[in-house]
Amino acid sequence: MTEPPLIAGIELGGTKVICILARGPDAVEDRVTIPTTRPAETMAAIEAVLDGWSGFAALGIASFGPVSIDSRAADYGHITATPKPGWSGTDVAGRFARRYRVPAGFHTDVVGAALAEARWGAAAGLADVAYVTVGTGVGVGLIASGRPVDGLTHAELGHIRPVRYPHDDWIGACPFHGACLEGLASGRAIAARVGTPAPELPADHPVWEGVAHALGQLLHVLVLTGIPRRVVMGGGVMVGSAHLFPRIRTAMLASLGGYVGLPEVTMADTFVVPPALGGNAGPLGAVLLGAQALGKSSALTFTTG
Ligand code: ZN
């Protein structure tokens, strides 16, 4: 068996960047974390790391969004209109591809996490997977047949408008939509509503009923796309509140009302699951994006151990 290709993976997060040089999860040659600050400073710091590496055949970037993933668009590979100061319009993929002259894969951090969990984590062996992060915001990464579901742009399902929980008329926290899903169920929304960070709230706090109700409807929408065979739910709110999983499963099944009665869905304990890769999902997803750009992602199924 030939050795899997060596890939440089970059998870560009809102607060930190993780760069790894790897052939797979069991063959990580280097891993460096740097803070995300201003774009010029952060990009130069990433290049300082990659300049010290040699022999990588491709690179992949899994970035906070929104990003342009349309390869026919002039701004492909850029971060687009982000509230993060200074970052709107930053060219990420093009800059690295020109500097290192290797194929470069580029997508959102949630799509990267979906790819990694589908290859090596909680959805290992499944080609059709959704990854949902419920953290500061709510993001969804969709992959089908092992590849990101791409069209005009990436999914923005964190901003669907759920049917409101009975008698709840709180205005919500999304600056665009008020009480959209992110405006009701994100960590930022929960903290704005009750004045306490989500991980510090007890399981019997009344806010969770509405959060689970809203997230159950996201799961309803994901089932209706016909795509995921499993939904992996991570992010700070989910990781800190394991009691949410059974509540969200129940809310999803109640919302579906028996529609799409496939066993993959109705066996909700295995349909909606926590992640398995933890903080490695993002950087490993970036490695997979690089491998896909190289056309050799299947080679990474096997690692050198
Ligand atoms: Zn919104």
Side-chain angles (χ1 to χ4, degrees):
M1 192 173 71
T2 57
E3 192 174 48
L6 188 63
I7 311 286
I10 303 159
E11 183 191 22
L12 178 54
T15 58
K16 67 177 189 290
V17 183
I18 301 174
C19 305
I20 69 171
L21 183 65
R23 301 179 195 276
D26 306 320
V28 176
E29 300 200 354
D30 199 9
R31 188 183 202 278
V32 181
T33 301
I34 55 184
T36 304
T37 58
R38 292 178 296 106
E41 186 176 60
T42 307
M43 296 293 285
I46 295 168
E47 288 173 350
V49 172
L50 268 63
D51 286 355
W53 292 345
S54 60
F56 54 89
L59 60 88
I61 305 128
S63 174
F64 70 86
V67 296
S68 174
I69 53 135
D70 181 358
S71 60
R72 287 165 290 191
D75 67 351
Y76 169 75
H78 289 53
I79 291 169
T80 56
T82 173
K84 194 169 173 54
W87 282 89
S88 291
T90 299
D91 176 18
V92 177
R95 173 170 170 160
F96 292 139
R98 285 189 298 273
R99 185 178 184 91
Y100 298 104
R101 299 183 177 279
V102 292
F106 179 71
H107 220 296
T108 61
D109 46 7
V110 281
V111 162
L115 287 170
E117 291 287 349
R119 181 61 63 88
W120 296 303
L126 299 179
D128 313 297
V129 174
Y131 183 92
V132 177
T133 179
V134 188
T136 308
V138 177
V140 178
L142 275 174
I143 63 169
S145 303
R147 304 192 70 89
V149 177
D150 285 345
L152 172 64
T153 184
H154 50 82
E156 286 282 9
L157 290 166
H159 293 270
I160 62 168
R161 294 185 186 273
V163 173
R164 298 301 301 271
Y165 190 66
H167 312 298
D168 181 12
D169 60 359
W170 184 57
I171 59 169
C174 176
F176 297 94
H177 316 116
C180 69
L181 179 66
E182 182 171 298
L184 290 170
S186 66
R188 191 192 299 119
I190 294 167
R193 183 168 198 174
V194 304
T196 306
E200 296 173 20
L201 292 172
D204 62 356
H205 193 285
V207 76
W208 292 123
E209 288 304 319
V211 168
H213 181 258
L215 289 170
Q217 292 176 73
L218 171 61
L219 272 291
H220 177 139
V221 170
L222 287 171
V223 169
L224 296 189
T225 66
I227 295 170
R229 296 172 189 275
R230 184 166 294 167
V231 181
V232 182
M233 297 190 74
V237 173
M238 298 303 303
V239 169
S241 310
H243 61 86
L244 273 175
F245 280 92
R247 291 174 168 186
I248 291 168
R249 294 179 188 122
T250 300
M252 174 193 75
L253 293 173
S255 181
L256 286 168
Y259 202 67
V260 189
L262 293 167
E264 286 85 348
V265 174
T266 58
M267 292 168 63
D269 287 359
T270 53
F271 185 67
V272 184
V273 300
L277 297 174
N280 281 328
L284 288 174
V287 168
L288 281 169
L289 288 167
Q292 289 193 343
L294 193 63
K296 291 190 176 175
S297 64
S298 61
L300 298 191
T301 302
F302 307 101
T303 60
T304 54

